[in-house]
Amino acid sequence: MSPTTASKPVAAPAAQKRGRASQLSRFVQRNGSWAVLILMVIVMAFAFDGFLTGSNLGQIARQASFYAPLALGLTFVIFTGGIDLSIGSLYALGGVIAAWASSAGFIPALLAPLVVCGLIGLVQGMIVAGTRIPAFIVTLAGMMFARGLVLFITDEGSITHHVTASSHFTSLANGSILGVGLELTAISAVVLGGTMLTGGSGTIIGSLAGITILQLVANLINRLGLSNSNWQSVVNGVLLVVVAVAQTYLSRMQARNKGDAATAEEAAKNAPEPEPAIPGT
Amino acid sequence: MTTDSSLASEDAVTGAPPLADPTPPAPARNRLGAMTWISRYGVYVALVILLLLNMVITDHFMTASNLRLQLIQTAPTLIVAMGMAMVIGTKGIDLSVGAVMALSAAVVPLYIGYGSVAAILIGLVFGIACGLFAGFLVSVVGLQPIVATLSVMIGGRGLANVIAGSIKTISDPGIVALGTGSLLGIPYSVLIGLVVVLVVAFLVRRTTFGLNLESIGANQLATKLAGVRIAAVLLTVYAINGLLAALSGIIVAARTQASDPKTVGLLMEMDAIAAVVIGGTSLNGGKVRVLGTVAGALLMQLITATLVSHNAPDSLAQMVEAVVIIVAVFTQVGRRKS
């Protein structure tokens, strides 16, 4: 149903205006991340020498590709109005299992982590689908379980399973790298990419933009001489607040332009399930 | 709303004898009643069973020093869980408590020059500030609690790392005394935990604030229409929660005589939520169970202690805890009806 038909008591020109505002806010929501990304690239290209070099851009892309699978998988989960807090720990678990299984050859090292982590994901999904336990509780418990399993396999973190196949694997396999905070980076990226945390709307390509924005921020932090890499998570937290607040206002604007503003807002505030927050879509 | 109404009708069914329509199958009804009973009182039964079991199978369990140790280890979780119970009572959630603990623990060593009391107070102020910020996002801006507190969780731990840099040892005599001293044989941290429990119980059971808090959780719109200033109540709840998290962080730092921003309060949000939920407080809000939360925190600690004292590794205890949490929440919310 179109916005104009929903607000029929209003005079036609006003309704038209509202329809345009609604379209605009939806456009911003869907494409804002790309606009921000392009703007950041332009500004940084002018501000810093050596930004637009192949090696620098290549490095940013390489780092972004490292996080991209996490963010892409999470985008699907958040589409459904759920959340997955366990992915950082599963990432660590996958690395440790790969290293552990690598003694049996390359194929087991590749398949074992996919099977184990996939199974844990499947069990979590079955619990979310089959019970009324909130997704964040299920996946927080999953996070705890996966971390416990990582510690168990590495004999309480004291053993490092080494692999000689590639240096990348070795760094992953260290039991002390628990993937702490990776799920948070991924959530930030997905939200930055314009996916609503209430579910129901968003784009995969936006999540890619979100991940790239976070890598640009990391690059920026380096260039500004903030030697402490922990600024990254401070900035991530701030970005998450800003985007979540912007999304709240954008979706309220859409709701307001679709019908009675007060009821829409109350519905959004009081709804136990996120679906009523986006009426009519 | 579907969960609320179905839970309410469930209560009505178990509470009052059915006047009409006795045809529906009785076993299903009994099972639902049993689930509700388990989610409310199961924690006490489990606690007693585990205590009795430990008396039999664990050597030196009923010694004063062991019980003291168990209480000391429960205290930080218990303090955080008290604040969490209030937040969950409003149908909210706070994922930032662990990060707030790390932040306050990181701040204290910086201001130790002003004296231990001043440093602790500044640490607590940081906690209140974090709580107010999350509360503002929830009550005024209208973000979902999980999103608002997630951002504080991300930013807070980052800030703790930025502020502290690395592990700092704490040698200030005042702070060390807080971590190791005791009054009449009871450690300070346990005493503080006890006071926190009593204060929260008073707030929730004996004040208008407590009534408003629970009614927001039960039905926010109705509470608003009744003239309660929702934003003020929510801000207070999140501020108290931040304060208690900061207090817990300082106690952890004092006990270990070190402040490590990477490990203080790690996974504490999970432990606190677990204690609250296992204690019978519903994630749907509307009711704060203080005594149940105390029992929940003790039960989680006892499960870990039982496993560890029988040579099970920490990692296994952690996995068992994860399963216990899922089972506990399941007894509350049940299956999804399709």
Side-chain angles (χ1 to χ4, degrees), chain B residues 27 54 71 91 96 107 116 130 140 142 148 161 207 211 213-214 216 220 228 234 236 239 268 270 314 332:
Chain B
N54 270 296
L71 289 178
K91 208 172 184 172
S96 71
V107 166
S116 30
C130 288
V140 180
N161 278 314
T207 66
L211 190 68
L213 181 165
E214 289 189 336
I216 288 177
Q220 182 163 341
V228 175
L234 284 178
T236 315
M268 181 54 95
M270 189 73 243
D314 269 342
Q332 277 188 7

mmCIF file with all atom_site columns, all heavy atoms in Angstrom, chain B residues 27 54 71 91 96 107 116 130 140 142 148 161 207 211 213-214 216 220 228 234 236 239 268 270 314 332:
data_model
loop_
_atom_site.group_PDB
_atom_site.id
_atom_site.type_symbol
_atom_site.label_atom_id
_atom_site.label_alt_id
_atom_site.label_comp_id
_atom_site.label_asym_id
_atom_site.label_entity_id
_atom_site.label_seq_id
_atom_site.pdbx_PDB_ins_code
_atom_site.Cartn_x
_atom_site.Cartn_y
_atom_site.Cartn_z
_atom_site.occupancy
_atom_site.B_iso_or_equiv
_atom_site.pdbx_formal_charge
_atom_site.auth_seq_id
_atom_site.auth_comp_id
_atom_site.auth_asym_id
_atom_site.auth_atom_id
_atom_site.pdbx_PDB_model_num
ATOM 1   N N   . PRO B 1 27  ? -3.085 -33.547 31.442 1.00 0.00 ? 27  PRO B N   1
ATOM 2   C CA  . PRO B 1 27  ? -1.623 -33.649 31.527 1.00 0.00 ? 27  PRO B CA  1
ATOM 3   C C   . PRO B 1 27  ? -0.917 -32.412 30.999 1.00 0.00 ? 27  PRO B C   1
ATOM 4   O O   . PRO B 1 27  ? 0.039  -31.939 31.605 1.00 0.00 ? 27  PRO B O   1
ATOM 5   C CB  . PRO B 1 27  ? -1.310 -34.872 30.659 1.00 0.00 ? 27  PRO B CB  1
ATOM 6   C CG  . PRO B 1 27  ? -2.566 -35.664 30.648 1.00 0.00 ? 27  PRO B CG  1
ATOM 7   C CD  . PRO B 1 27  ? -3.679 -34.670 30.752 1.00 0.00 ? 27  PRO B CD  1
ATOM 8   N N   . ASN B 1 54  ? 27.140 -31.724 47.616 1.00 0.00 ? 54  ASN B N   1
ATOM 9   C CA  . ASN B 1 54  ? 28.520 -31.342 47.898 1.00 0.00 ? 54  ASN B CA  1
ATOM 10  C C   . ASN B 1 54  ? 28.966 -31.776 49.287 1.00 0.00 ? 54  ASN B C   1
ATOM 11  O O   . ASN B 1 54  ? 30.125 -32.114 49.496 1.00 0.00 ? 54  ASN B O   1
ATOM 12  C CB  . ASN B 1 54  ? 28.697 -29.831 47.742 1.00 0.00 ? 54  ASN B CB  1
ATOM 13  C CG  . ASN B 1 54  ? 29.095 -29.468 46.336 1.00 0.00 ? 54  ASN B CG  1
ATOM 14  O OD1 . ASN B 1 54  ? 30.163 -29.843 45.875 1.00 0.00 ? 54  ASN B OD1 1
ATOM 15  N ND2 . ASN B 1 54  ? 28.215 -28.780 45.640 1.00 0.00 ? 54  ASN B ND2 1
ATOM 16  N N   . LEU B 1 71  ? 31.323 -17.397 48.879 1.00 0.00 ? 71  LEU B N   1
ATOM 17  C CA  . LEU B 1 71  ? 30.590 -16.126 48.991 1.00 0.00 ? 71  LEU B CA  1
ATOM 18  C C   . LEU B 1 71  ? 31.385 -14.983 48.360 1.00 0.00 ? 71  LEU B C   1
ATOM 19  O O   . LEU B 1 71  ? 30.826 -14.135 47.659 1.00 0.00 ? 71  LEU B O   1
ATOM 20  C CB  . LEU B 1 71  ? 30.290 -15.819 50.460 1.00 0.00 ? 71  LEU B CB  1
ATOM 21  C CG  . LEU B 1 71  ? 29.224 -16.711 51.105 1.00 0.00 ? 71  LEU B CG  1
ATOM 22  C CD1 . LEU B 1 71  ? 29.052 -16.354 52.572 1.00 0.00 ? 71  LEU B CD1 1
ATOM 23  C CD2 . LEU B 1 71  ? 27.898 -16.570 50.371 1.00 0.00 ? 71  LEU B CD2 1
ATOM 24  N N   . LYS B 1 91  ? 11.418 -4.808  31.591 1.00 0.00 ? 91  LYS B N   1
ATOM 25  C CA  . LYS B 1 91  ? 11.413 -5.438  30.267 1.00 0.00 ? 91  LYS B CA  1
ATOM 26  C C   . LYS B 1 91  ? 12.606 -4.991  29.438 1.00 0.00 ? 91  LYS B C   1
ATOM 27  O O   . LYS B 1 91  ? 12.568 -5.022  28.208 1.00 0.00 ? 91  LYS B O   1
ATOM 28  C CB  . LYS B 1 91  ? 10.112 -5.129  29.523 1.00 0.00 ? 91  LYS B CB  1
ATOM 29  C CG  . LYS B 1 91  ? 9.722  -6.204  28.527 1.00 0.00 ? 91  LYS B CG  1
ATOM 30  C CD  . LYS B 1 91  ? 8.348  -5.923  27.971 1.00 0.00 ? 91  LYS B CD  1
ATOM 31  C CE  . LYS B 1 91  ? 7.930  -7.048  27.067 1.00 0.00 ? 91  LYS B CE  1
ATOM 32  N NZ  . LYS B 1 91  ? 6.538  -6.902  26.651 1.00 0.00 ? 91  LYS B NZ  1
ATOM 33  N N   . SER B 1 96  ? 25.897 -3.989  28.850 1.00 0.00 ? 96  SER B N   1
ATOM 34  C CA  . SER B 1 96  ? 27.114 -3.186  29.020 1.00 0.00 ? 96  SER B CA  1
ATOM 35  C C   . SER B 1 96  ? 27.769 -3.374  30.388 1.00 0.00 ? 96  SER B C   1
ATOM 36  O O   . SER B 1 96  ? 28.823 -2.807  30.637 1.00 0.00 ? 96  SER B O   1
ATOM 37  C CB  . SER B 1 96  ? 26.794 -1.706  28.817 1.00 0.00 ? 96  SER B CB  1
ATOM 38  O OG  . SER B 1 96  ? 26.039 -1.207  29.902 1.00 0.00 ? 96  SER B OG  1
ATOM 39  N N   . VAL B 1 107 ? 39.466 3.370   35.857 1.00 0.00 ? 107 VAL B N   1
ATOM 40  C CA  . VAL B 1 107 ? 39.522 4.767   36.289 1.00 0.00 ? 107 VAL B CA  1
ATOM 41  C C   . VAL B 1 107 ? 40.154 4.889   37.669 1.00 0.00 ? 107 VAL B C   1
ATOM 42  O O   . VAL B 1 107 ? 40.930 5.811   37.933 1.00 0.00 ? 107 VAL B O   1
ATOM 43  C CB  . VAL B 1 107 ? 38.090 5.365   36.284 1.00 0.00 ? 107 VAL B CB  1
ATOM 44  C CG1 . VAL B 1 107 ? 38.064 6.670   37.049 1.00 0.00 ? 107 VAL B CG1 1
ATOM 45  C CG2 . VAL B 1 107 ? 37.604 5.558   34.868 1.00 0.00 ? 107 VAL B CG2 1
ATOM 46  N N   . SER B 1 116 ? 41.894 6.945   48.521 1.00 0.00 ? 116 SER B N   1
ATOM 47  C CA  . SER B 1 116 ? 41.155 5.783   48.024 1.00 0.00 ? 116 SER B CA  1
ATOM 48  C C   . SER B 1 116 ? 39.661 6.054   47.937 1.00 0.00 ? 116 SER B C   1
ATOM 49  O O   . SER B 1 116 ? 39.003 5.607   46.999 1.00 0.00 ? 116 SER B O   1
ATOM 50  C CB  . SER B 1 116 ? 41.434 4.549   48.877 1.00 0.00 ? 116 SER B CB  1
ATOM 51  O OG  . SER B 1 116 ? 41.711 4.895   50.205 1.00 0.00 ? 116 SER B OG  1
ATOM 52  N N   . CYS B 1 130 ? 27.649 6.070   32.650 1.00 0.00 ? 130 CYS B N   1
ATOM 53  C CA  . CYS B 1 130 ? 27.361 5.061   31.612 1.00 0.00 ? 130 CYS B CA  1
ATOM 54  C C   . CYS B 1 130 ? 25.900 4.637   31.686 1.00 0.00 ? 130 CYS B C   1
ATOM 55  O O   . CYS B 1 130 ? 25.228 4.507   30.650 1.00 0.00 ? 130 CYS B O   1
ATOM 56  C CB  . CYS B 1 130 ? 28.244 3.825   31.802 1.00 0.00 ? 130 CYS B CB  1
ATOM 57  S SG  . CYS B 1 130 ? 29.952 4.081   31.386 1.00 0.00 ? 130 CYS B SG  1
ATOM 58  N N   . VAL B 1 140 ? 14.528 8.234   26.399 1.00 0.00 ? 140 VAL B N   1
ATOM 59  C CA  . VAL B 1 140 ? 14.241 9.480   25.689 1.00 0.00 ? 140 VAL B CA  1
ATOM 60  C C   . VAL B 1 140 ? 14.300 9.280   24.179 1.00 0.00 ? 140 VAL B C   1
ATOM 61  O O   . VAL B 1 140 ? 13.372 9.652   23.448 1.00 0.00 ? 140 VAL B O   1
ATOM 62  C CB  . VAL B 1 140 ? 15.218 10.596  26.131 1.00 0.00 ? 140 VAL B CB  1
ATOM 63  C CG1 . VAL B 1 140 ? 14.914 11.882  25.390 1.00 0.00 ? 140 VAL B CG1 1
ATOM 64  C CG2 . VAL B 1 140 ? 15.131 10.808  27.632 1.00 0.00 ? 140 VAL B CG2 1
ATOM 65  N N   . GLY B 1 142 ? 14.446 6.337   22.606 1.00 0.00 ? 142 GLY B N   1
ATOM 66  C CA  . GLY B 1 142 ? 13.555 5.251   22.228 1.00 0.00 ? 142 GLY B CA  1
ATOM 67  C C   . GLY B 1 142 ? 14.235 4.093   21.522 1.00 0.00 ? 142 GLY B C   1
ATOM 68  O O   . GLY B 1 142 ? 13.605 3.349   20.787 1.00 0.00 ? 142 GLY B O   1
ATOM 69  N N   . ALA B 1 148 ? 20.982 -0.101  22.594 1.00 0.00 ? 148 ALA B N   1
ATOM 70  C CA  . ALA B 1 148 ? 21.584 0.988   23.371 1.00 0.00 ? 148 ALA B CA  1
ATOM 71  C C   . ALA B 1 148 ? 22.737 0.462   24.229 1.00 0.00 ? 148 ALA B C   1
ATOM 72  O O   . ALA B 1 148 ? 23.831 1.036   24.232 1.00 0.00 ? 148 ALA B O   1
ATOM 73  C CB  . ALA B 1 148 ? 20.519 1.643   24.254 1.00 0.00 ? 148 ALA B CB  1
ATOM 74  N N   . ASN B 1 161 ? 40.130 0.254   27.808 1.00 0.00 ? 161 ASN B N   1
ATOM 75  C CA  . ASN B 1 161 ? 41.449 -0.103  27.277 1.00 0.00 ? 161 ASN B CA  1
ATOM 76  C C   . ASN B 1 161 ? 42.278 1.134   26.975 1.00 0.00 ? 161 ASN B C   1
ATOM 77  O O   . ASN B 1 161 ? 43.483 1.168   27.225 1.00 0.00 ? 161 ASN B O   1
ATOM 78  C CB  . ASN B 1 161 ? 41.296 -0.941  26.005 1.00 0.00 ? 161 ASN B CB  1
ATOM 79  C CG  . ASN B 1 161 ? 41.039 -2.394  26.323 1.00 0.00 ? 161 ASN B CG  1
ATOM 80  O OD1 . ASN B 1 161 ? 41.721 -2.971  27.166 1.00 0.00 ? 161 ASN B OD1 1
ATOM 81  N ND2 . ASN B 1 161 ? 40.054 -2.979  25.683 1.00 0.00 ? 161 ASN B ND2 1
ATOM 82  N N   . THR B 1 207 ? 8.798  0.831   47.821 1.00 0.00 ? 207 THR B N   1
ATOM 83  C CA  . THR B 1 207 ? 8.732  2.213   47.352 1.00 0.00 ? 207 THR B CA  1
ATOM 84  C C   . THR B 1 207 ? 7.856  2.331   46.100 1.00 0.00 ? 207 THR B C   1
ATOM 85  O O   . THR B 1 207 ? 7.643  1.357   45.384 1.00 0.00 ? 207 THR B O   1
ATOM 86  C CB  . THR B 1 207 ? 10.132 2.775   46.999 1.00 0.00 ? 207 THR B CB  1
ATOM 87  O OG1 . THR B 1 207 ? 10.642 2.048   45.881 1.00 0.00 ? 207 THR B OG1 1
ATOM 88  C CG2 . THR B 1 207 ? 11.091 2.646   48.162 1.00 0.00 ? 207 THR B CG2 1
ATOM 89  N N   . LEU B 1 211 ? 7.324  0.064   42.481 1.00 0.00 ? 211 LEU B N   1
ATOM 90  C CA  . LEU B 1 211 ? 6.015  -0.254  41.886 1.00 0.00 ? 211 LEU B CA  1
ATOM 91  C C   . LEU B 1 211 ? 5.973  0.208   40.423 1.00 0.00 ? 211 LEU B C   1
ATOM 92  O O   . LEU B 1 211 ? 5.561  -0.525  39.525 1.00 0.00 ? 211 LEU B O   1
ATOM 93  C CB  . LEU B 1 211 ? 4.919  0.428   42.696 1.00 0.00 ? 211 LEU B CB  1
ATOM 94  C CG  . LEU B 1 211 ? 3.485  0.034   42.374 1.00 0.00 ? 211 LEU B CG  1
ATOM 95  C CD1 . LEU B 1 211 ? 3.242  -1.400  42.798 1.00 0.00 ? 211 LEU B CD1 1
ATOM 96  C CD2 . LEU B 1 211 ? 2.510  0.962   43.069 1.00 0.00 ? 211 LEU B CD2 1
ATOM 97  N N   . LEU B 1 213 ? 8.492  0.787   38.487 1.00 0.00 ? 213 LEU B N   1
ATOM 98  C CA  . LEU B 1 213 ? 9.461  -0.002  37.731 1.00 0.00 ? 213 LEU B CA  1
ATOM 99  C C   . LEU B 1 213 ? 8.796  -1.277  37.194 1.00 0.00 ? 213 LEU B C   1
ATOM 100 O O   . LEU B 1 213 ? 8.865  -1.583  36.005 1.00 0.00 ? 213 LEU B O   1
ATOM 101 C CB  . LEU B 1 213 ? 10.617 -0.332  38.675 1.00 0.00 ? 213 LEU B CB  1
ATOM 102 C CG  . LEU B 1 213 ? 11.860 -1.117  38.290 1.00 0.00 ? 213 LEU B CG  1
ATOM 103 C CD1 . LEU B 1 213 ? 12.897 -0.889  39.368 1.00 0.00 ? 213 LEU B CD1 1
ATOM 104 C CD2 . LEU B 1 213 ? 11.604 -2.586  38.137 1.00 0.00 ? 213 LEU B CD2 1
ATOM 105 N N   . GLU B 1 214 ? 8.131  -2.000  38.105 1.00 0.00 ? 214 GLU B N   1
ATOM 106 C CA  . GLU B 1 214 ? 7.518  -3.268  37.682 1.00 0.00 ? 214 GLU B CA  1
ATOM 107 C C   . GLU B 1 214 ? 6.331  -3.026  36.747 1.00 0.00 ? 214 GLU B C   1
ATOM 108 O O   . GLU B 1 214 ? 6.083  -3.823  35.838 1.00 0.00 ? 214 GLU B O   1
ATOM 109 C CB  . GLU B 1 214 ? 7.083  -4.082  38.907 1.00 0.00 ? 214 GLU B CB  1
ATOM 110 C CG  . GLU B 1 214 ? 8.271  -4.647  39.671 1.00 0.00 ? 214 GLU B CG  1
ATOM 111 C CD  . GLU B 1 214 ? 7.873  -5.619  40.759 1.00 0.00 ? 214 GLU B CD  1
ATOM 112 O OE1 . GLU B 1 214 ? 6.719  -5.527  41.249 1.00 0.00 ? 214 GLU B OE1 1
ATOM 113 O OE2 . GLU B 1 214 ? 8.701  -6.457  41.134 1.00 0.00 ? 214 GLU B OE2 1
ATOM 114 N N   . ILE B 1 216 ? 6.048  -0.610  34.586 1.00 0.00 ? 216 ILE B N   1
ATOM 115 C CA  . ILE B 1 216 ? 6.572  -0.308  33.247 1.00 0.00 ? 216 ILE B CA  1
ATOM 116 C C   . ILE B 1 216 ? 6.866  -1.603  32.513 1.00 0.00 ? 216 ILE B C   1
ATOM 117 O O   . ILE B 1 216 ? 6.548  -1.764  31.332 1.00 0.00 ? 216 ILE B O   1
ATOM 118 C CB  . ILE B 1 216 ? 7.860  0.551   33.344 1.00 0.00 ? 216 ILE B CB  1
ATOM 119 C CG1 . ILE B 1 216 ? 7.529  1.972   33.777 1.00 0.00 ? 216 ILE B CG1 1
ATOM 120 C CG2 . ILE B 1 216 ? 8.602  0.570   32.007 1.00 0.00 ? 216 ILE B CG2 1
ATOM 121 C CD1 . ILE B 1 216 ? 8.741  2.852   33.971 1.00 0.00 ? 216 ILE B CD1 1
ATOM 122 N N   . GLN B 1 220 ? 3.963  -0.806  29.570 1.00 0.00 ? 220 GLN B N   1
ATOM 123 C CA  . GLN B 1 220 ? 4.531  0.544   29.551 1.00 0.00 ? 220 GLN B CA  1
ATOM 124 C C   . GLN B 1 220 ? 3.481  1.595   29.188 1.00 0.00 ? 220 GLN B C   1
ATOM 125 O O   . GLN B 1 220 ? 3.428  2.659   29.799 1.00 0.00 ? 220 GLN B O   1
ATOM 126 C CB  . GLN B 1 220 ? 5.695  0.594   28.557 1.00 0.00 ? 220 GLN B CB  1
ATOM 127 C CG  . GLN B 1 220 ? 6.362  1.956   28.538 1.00 0.00 ? 220 GLN B CG  1
ATOM 128 C CD  . GLN B 1 220 ? 7.728  1.915   27.892 1.00 0.00 ? 220 GLN B CD  1
ATOM 129 O OE1 . GLN B 1 220 ? 8.342  0.875   27.765 1.00 0.00 ? 220 GLN B OE1 1
ATOM 130 N NE2 . GLN B 1 220 ? 8.219  3.074   27.491 1.00 0.00 ? 220 GLN B NE2 1
ATOM 131 N N   . VAL B 1 228 ? 2.637  8.119   35.147 1.00 0.00 ? 228 VAL B N   1
ATOM 132 C CA  . VAL B 1 228 ? 3.993  7.903   35.654 1.00 0.00 ? 228 VAL B CA  1
ATOM 133 C C   . VAL B 1 228 ? 4.996  8.472   34.658 1.00 0.00 ? 228 VAL B C   1
ATOM 134 O O   . VAL B 1 228 ? 4.835  8.303   33.446 1.00 0.00 ? 228 VAL B O   1
ATOM 135 C CB  . VAL B 1 228 ? 4.263  6.395   35.860 1.00 0.00 ? 228 VAL B CB  1
ATOM 136 C CG1 . VAL B 1 228 ? 5.708  6.164   36.258 1.00 0.00 ? 228 VAL B CG1 1
ATOM 137 C CG2 . VAL B 1 228 ? 3.316  5.836   36.897 1.00 0.00 ? 228 VAL B CG2 1
ATOM 138 N N   . LEU B 1 234 ? 13.004 5.058   34.195 1.00 0.00 ? 234 LEU B N   1
ATOM 139 C CA  . LEU B 1 234 ? 13.980 4.256   33.445 1.00 0.00 ? 234 LEU B CA  1
ATOM 140 C C   . LEU B 1 234 ? 15.395 4.796   33.624 1.00 0.00 ? 234 LEU B C   1
ATOM 141 O O   . LEU B 1 234 ? 16.345 4.032   33.798 1.00 0.00 ? 234 LEU B O   1
ATOM 142 C CB  . LEU B 1 234 ? 13.608 4.229   31.955 1.00 0.00 ? 234 LEU B CB  1
ATOM 143 C CG  . LEU B 1 234 ? 12.439 3.323   31.581 1.00 0.00 ? 234 LEU B CG  1
ATOM 144 C CD1 . LEU B 1 234 ? 12.142 3.413   30.096 1.00 0.00 ? 234 LEU B CD1 1
ATOM 145 C CD2 . LEU B 1 234 ? 12.731 1.882   31.965 1.00 0.00 ? 234 LEU B CD2 1
ATOM 146 N N   . THR B 1 236 ? 16.561 6.333   36.180 1.00 0.00 ? 236 THR B N   1
ATOM 147 C CA  . THR B 1 236 ? 17.014 5.947   37.515 1.00 0.00 ? 236 THR B CA  1
ATOM 148 C C   . THR B 1 236 ? 17.437 4.485   37.537 1.00 0.00 ? 236 THR B C   1
ATOM 149 O O   . THR B 1 236 ? 18.483 4.135   38.102 1.00 0.00 ? 236 THR B O   1
ATOM 150 C CB  . THR B 1 236 ? 15.893 6.174   38.550 1.00 0.00 ? 236 THR B CB  1
ATOM 151 O OG1 . THR B 1 236 ? 15.307 7.448   38.306 1.00 0.00 ? 236 THR B OG1 1
ATOM 152 C CG2 . THR B 1 236 ? 16.421 6.105   39.955 1.00 0.00 ? 236 THR B CG2 1
ATOM 153 N N   . ALA B 1 239 ? 20.713 4.075   35.778 1.00 0.00 ? 239 ALA B N   1
ATOM 154 C CA  . ALA B 1 239 ? 21.785 4.707   36.549 1.00 0.00 ? 239 ALA B CA  1
ATOM 155 C C   . ALA B 1 239 ? 22.178 3.825   37.731 1.00 0.00 ? 239 ALA B C   1
ATOM 156 O O   . ALA B 1 239 ? 23.371 3.623   38.003 1.00 0.00 ? 239 ALA B O   1
ATOM 157 C CB  . ALA B 1 239 ? 21.342 6.085   37.032 1.00 0.00 ? 239 ALA B CB  1
ATOM 158 N N   . MET B 1 268 ? 30.511 -10.895 32.179 1.00 0.00 ? 268 MET B N   1
ATOM 159 C CA  . MET B 1 268 ? 29.692 -10.653 33.365 1.00 0.00 ? 268 MET B CA  1
ATOM 160 C C   . MET B 1 268 ? 28.221 -10.450 33.001 1.00 0.00 ? 268 MET B C   1
ATOM 161 O O   . MET B 1 268 ? 27.331 -10.857 33.751 1.00 0.00 ? 268 MET B O   1
ATOM 162 C CB  . MET B 1 268 ? 30.220 -9.439  34.125 1.00 0.00 ? 268 MET B CB  1
ATOM 163 C CG  . MET B 1 268 ? 29.453 -9.117  35.381 1.00 0.00 ? 268 MET B CG  1
ATOM 164 S SD  . MET B 1 268 ? 29.325 -10.515 36.520 1.00 0.00 ? 268 MET B SD  1
ATOM 165 C CE  . MET B 1 268 ? 30.705 -10.202 37.608 1.00 0.00 ? 268 MET B CE  1
ATOM 166 N N   . MET B 1 270 ? 26.579 -12.016 30.875 1.00 0.00 ? 270 MET B N   1
ATOM 167 C CA  . MET B 1 270 ? 25.981 -13.352 30.792 1.00 0.00 ? 270 MET B CA  1
ATOM 168 C C   . MET B 1 270 ? 25.711 -13.903 32.193 1.00 0.00 ? 270 MET B C   1
ATOM 169 O O   . MET B 1 270 ? 24.618 -14.412 32.473 1.00 0.00 ? 270 MET B O   1
ATOM 170 C CB  . MET B 1 270 ? 26.959 -14.273 30.053 1.00 0.00 ? 270 MET B CB  1
ATOM 171 C CG  . MET B 1 270 ? 26.389 -15.605 29.712 1.00 0.00 ? 270 MET B CG  1
ATOM 172 S SD  . MET B 1 270 ? 25.215 -15.525 28.377 1.00 0.00 ? 270 MET B SD  1
ATOM 173 C CE  . MET B 1 270 ? 23.742 -16.065 29.157 1.00 0.00 ? 270 MET B CE  1
ATOM 174 N N   . ASP B 1 314 ? 37.893 -25.467 33.974 1.00 0.00 ? 314 ASP B N   1
ATOM 175 C CA  . ASP B 1 314 ? 37.036 -24.275 33.911 1.00 0.00 ? 314 ASP B CA  1
ATOM 176 C C   . ASP B 1 314 ? 36.188 -24.254 32.644 1.00 0.00 ? 314 ASP B C   1
ATOM 177 O O   . ASP B 1 314 ? 35.033 -23.852 32.657 1.00 0.00 ? 314 ASP B O   1
ATOM 178 C CB  . ASP B 1 314 ? 37.908 -23.008 33.913 1.00 0.00 ? 314 ASP B CB  1
ATOM 179 C CG  . ASP B 1 314 ? 38.147 -22.515 35.322 1.00 0.00 ? 314 ASP B CG  1
ATOM 180 O OD1 . ASP B 1 314 ? 37.383 -22.941 36.218 1.00 0.00 ? 314 ASP B OD1 1
ATOM 181 O OD2 . ASP B 1 314 ? 39.073 -21.719 35.516 1.00 0.00 ? 314 ASP B OD2 1
ATOM 182 N N   . GLN B 1 332 ? 10.907 -20.953 31.536 1.00 0.00 ? 332 GLN B N   1
ATOM 183 C CA  . GLN B 1 332 ? 10.086 -19.741 31.649 1.00 0.00 ? 332 GLN B CA  1
ATOM 184 C C   . GLN B 1 332 ? 9.221  -19.489 30.428 1.00 0.00 ? 332 GLN B C   1
ATOM 185 O O   . GLN B 1 332 ? 8.051  -19.173 30.538 1.00 0.00 ? 332 GLN B O   1
ATOM 186 C CB  . GLN B 1 332 ? 10.987 -18.520 31.811 1.00 0.00 ? 332 GLN B CB  1
ATOM 187 C CG  . GLN B 1 332 ? 11.426 -18.286 33.205 1.00 0.00 ? 332 GLN B CG  1
ATOM 188 C CD  . GLN B 1 332 ? 12.134 -16.968 33.288 1.00 0.00 ? 332 GLN B CD  1
ATOM 189 O OE1 . GLN B 1 332 ? 12.177 -16.208 32.344 1.00 0.00 ? 332 GLN B OE1 1
ATOM 190 N NE2 . GLN B 1 332 ? 12.697 -16.706 34.433 1.00 0.00 ? 332 GLN B NE2 1
#
